[in-house]
Amino acid sequence: MVTERELAPAGLDVTVPNVARMYDYYLGGKDNFEADRVAAHKVLELVPGLRRSAVENRKFLRRVVRFLASEAGVTQFLDIGVGLPTQGAVHEVARQVNPRARVAYVDVDPVVVAHGRALLAVADLSVMVQADVRQPAALLSSPEIRAHLDFTRPIAIGLFAILHFVSDADDPAGIVACLRDAVVPGSYLAISHVGTEFFPDKQAMARAAAVYEQANERVTPRSRDQILGFFGGFELVPPGLVPKHQWRPDVGEAAAGTPNIQWGGVGRRL
Ligand SMILES: C[S@@+](CC[C@H](N)C(=O)[O-])C[C@H]1O[C@@H](n2cnc3c(N)ncnc32)[C@H](O)[C@@H]1O
């Protein structure tokens, strides 16, 4: 029998759990390998609501993009840490409102970038760029991004479920400030981020984080106050930084008791 390892693209180490593929597995996707699934199951045992929380994160992203494209009138999007393709990508949602919406997708992971180039970079209105958010100046000077987005006009920056993969040593506040300073007033910043407040059992949180020690990226849950700090220079759009399923829920959503481990919010650049 051919093993997954033999089927994996050359140069890809499928023995190391990968955060993009673990997330794909939480969402019920097929772009993952044995090591990703084993690690994901260890986390799911400690955080049983994680699967639902991941699904809610995609719903949050879709509501945010719909709000930005319609009510806020944003026509350009910079989605950093896009993840493996799944339903309801930013360009799909934005173009339901504005068929000319332009999207630059970014990810550090070469597999995500390869998938994205095949599926997301469509019809000249989207590009997929490999870059590391921990080097924001280099990311922002990418010729592909510069050619695709007009930085003299508002841009919505999406940091959905990525900043908790940036350790304190890599200065996430400095990274967000660098991104903020690159965009004009009237631009937007959207963040979803794992919050410490959602883990009454701190030992379980630490053990789940320890699983990520073996993965390609570590995870750093942060407090609501720390995440609020990332919105410096932005005015939070109502309802502010909230459990993400409570951010402008569609009718019938945001039921009490929805499993959730992330804060979510959107800010307008002052
Ligand atoms: C949990 S997935 C989130 C996907 C999508 N944004 C969402 O919310 O559904 C995190 C993504 O961030 C990417 N990522 C992690 N660290 C990164 C970094 N330093 N620079 C760019 N992308 C990164 C991972 O490769 C992965 O695709």
Side-chain angles (χ1 to χ4, degrees):
M1 198 178 98
V2 181
T3 64
E4 279 190 331
R5 212 162 156 167
E6 287 160 336
L7 282 173
L12 181 67
D13 185 354
V14 297
T15 64
V16 177
N18 171 288
V19 298
R21 298 196 300 259
M22 288 169 69
Y23 182 69
D24 173 73
Y25 183 68
Y26 301 144
L27 287 173
K30 300 264 183 288
D31 294 317
N32 47 72
F33 295 94
E34 180 66 14
D36 309 314
R37 294 189 287 272
V38 169
H41 274 286
K42 285 185 192 159
V43 180
L44 285 167
E45 267 174 37
L46 294 157
V47 191
L50 177 53
R51 203 160 232 159
R52 176 69 190 279
S53 184
V55 170
E56 290 292 332
N57 184 53
R58 293 302 305 179
K59 289 193 196 169
F60 169 70
L61 176 149
R62 292 195 287 268
R63 291 195 305 277
V64 167
V65 174
R66 208 189 321 131
F67 160 81
L68 292 169
S70 54
E71 276 182 62
V74 175
T75 61
Q76 310 186 91
F77 296 81
L78 177 58
D79 182 13
I80 306 177
V82 54
L84 288 158
T86 180
Q87 278 186 341
V90 170
H91 73 275
E92 290 167 348
V93 180
R95 281 190 208 140
Q96 284 168 7
V97 179
N98 171 9
R100 305 297 303 162
R102 299 178 79 78
V103 183
Y105 289 111
V106 175
D107 208 285
V108 74
D109 187 318
V111 175
V112 172
V113 173
H115 277 269
R117 291 214 164 112
L119 293 171
L120 298 173
V122 286
D124 294 338
L125 290 172
S126 324
V127 291
M128 175 83 232
V129 175
Q130 184 170 7
D132 189 333
V133 77
R134 290 167 292 201
Q135 289 155 19
L139 185 159
L140 288 163
S141 60
S142 148
E144 261 180 297
I145 293 177
R146 288 278 154 188
H148 194 66
L149 302 180
D150 177 357
F151 280 77
T152 67
R153 294 179 40 245
I155 294 173
I157 302 167
L159 295 172
F160 297 99
I162 173 177
L163 282 179
H164 46 243
F165 294 120
V166 176
S167 67
D168 291 342
D170 286 314
D171 187 17
I175 290 171
V176 180
C178 181
L179 296 170
R180 175 199 64 211
D181 292 346
V183 295
V184 295
S187 294
Y188 285 83
L189 169 70
I191 293 177
S192 58
H193 192 302
V194 174
T196 51
E197 292 86 351
F198 300 114
F199 294 87
D201 180 349
K202 299 294 180 238
Q203 278 191 351
M205 183 178 86
R207 282 163 61 205
V211 176
Y212 281 89
E213 295 285 321
Q214 312 305 319
N216 68 322
E217 307 287 352
R218 313 285 167 268
V219 70
T220 307
R222 295 191 170 90
S223 70
R224 182 174 182 275
D225 278 352
Q226 286 175 305
I227 300 163
L228 260 186
F230 296 147
F231 285 99
F234 292 86
E235 178 183 34
L236 277 169
V237 169
L241 186 64
V242 293
K244 64 186 181 317
H245 59 291
Q246 291 172 6
W247 196 91
R248 298 184 179 227
D250 290 331
V251 177
E253 285 192 333
T258 300
N260 178 55
I261 58 163
Q262 288 190 308
W263 295 104
V266 175
R268 185 173 188 275
R269 167 97 155 86
L270 296 167

